Amino acid sequence: IPFFVTEKKRSEQALIQVVQECRLNGVSTRKIEHIAKKLGIESLSASEVSEINSSLDQMVDEFRKRRLEAEYPVIRVDALYEKIRDNHRIAGKAVMVIKAVNLEGQQEILAVEPMENESEETYSALFRRLRELRA
C-alpha cells in the first residue's frame, strides 16, 4: 500500500477518534460540524458525525450486553460523579464502575453505568443486570 493511502487512513481514523471524544465530552453534533469547518474540514457533515457516533453507540451497546463467562471472586464497586449528556442536556450523574478479578487474577471492567444517584435501588438493579449476563 502506498504511503499516501496509509497516511490518509491514519488521518481519517484520527478524525473519527476526535469526533468520538467530542461526543463523550458532551459536544453536540452541530458543534462538532462547526468545529470541523473552523479547522478547515469542510466535508464533515452533521449526518457524518452522527454516523461516526452511532458506531460508538454500537460498541457501548455490545460491551453492555456481552456475556460474562468467567467467575469473579473479587468485585470492586465505586461511583464517580460526572457531567453526562442525557436527552440533549448535560446533567451531573453517578457513574457506577464495577471492576472484577477473575480466577486467573486478571482484572476486568464488568460495567460502567450512568445512574441518577447512588442508592440501594440503583446498585441492586445494576447487579441484577450483570447476573442476567451470566445466565
Side-chain angles (χ1 to χ4, degrees), residues 53-108:
N53 287 330
S54 72
S55 69
L56 182 62
D57 292 340
Q58 181 181 350
M59 286 187 289
V60 169
D61 194 48
E62 287 171 7
F63 173 79
R64 293 180 77 207
K65 292 179 179 176
R66 77 197 185 291
R67 306 279 309 151
L68 298 176
E69 305 280 334
E71 290 185 40
Y72 305 100
V74 177
I75 295 177
R76 293 184 188 109
V77 181
D78 200 0
L80 314 166
Y81 280 83
E82 297 288 339
K83 300 274 186 204
I84 296 175
R85 177 182 299 281
D86 185 24
N87 292 324
H88 305 292
R89 65 179 189 70
I90 304 296
K93 290 195 173 199
V95 179
M96 309 296 189
V97 179
I98 299 180
K99 187 176 182 180
V101 178
N102 64 25
L103 291 174
E104 289 80 39
Q106 297 170 323
Q107 295 184 27
E108 295 180 40

Side-chain angles (χ1 to χ4, degrees), residues 112-127:
V112 179
E113 294 289 329
M115 304 284 184
E116 289 299 321
N117 57 40
E118 281 186 276
S119 69
E120 182 178 343
E121 292 167 20
T122 57
Y123 277 109
S124 294
L126 180 54
F127 280 112

Side-chain angles (χ1 to χ4, degrees), residues 18-72:
V18 167
V19 168
Q20 290 175 338
E21 184 69 26
C22 286
R23 166 74 186 274
L24 292 173
N25 285 298
V27 179
S28 72
T29 301
R30 290 284 173 204
K31 284 184 182 177
I32 294 171
E33 179 185 25
H34 181 72
I35 291 167
K37 284 187 178 19
K38 286 202 176 248
L39 293 172
I41 304 169
E42 297 293 327
S43 61
L44 186 65
S45 68
S47 62
E48 288 172 313
V49 169
S50 292
E51 187 176 320
I52 289 168
N53 287 330
S54 72
S55 69
L56 182 62
D57 292 340
Q58 181 181 350
M59 286 187 289
V60 169
D61 194 48
E62 287 171 7
F63 173 79
R64 293 180 77 207
K65 292 179 179 176
R66 77 197 185 291
R67 306 279 309 151
L68 298 176
E69 305 280 334
E71 290 185 40
Y72 305 100

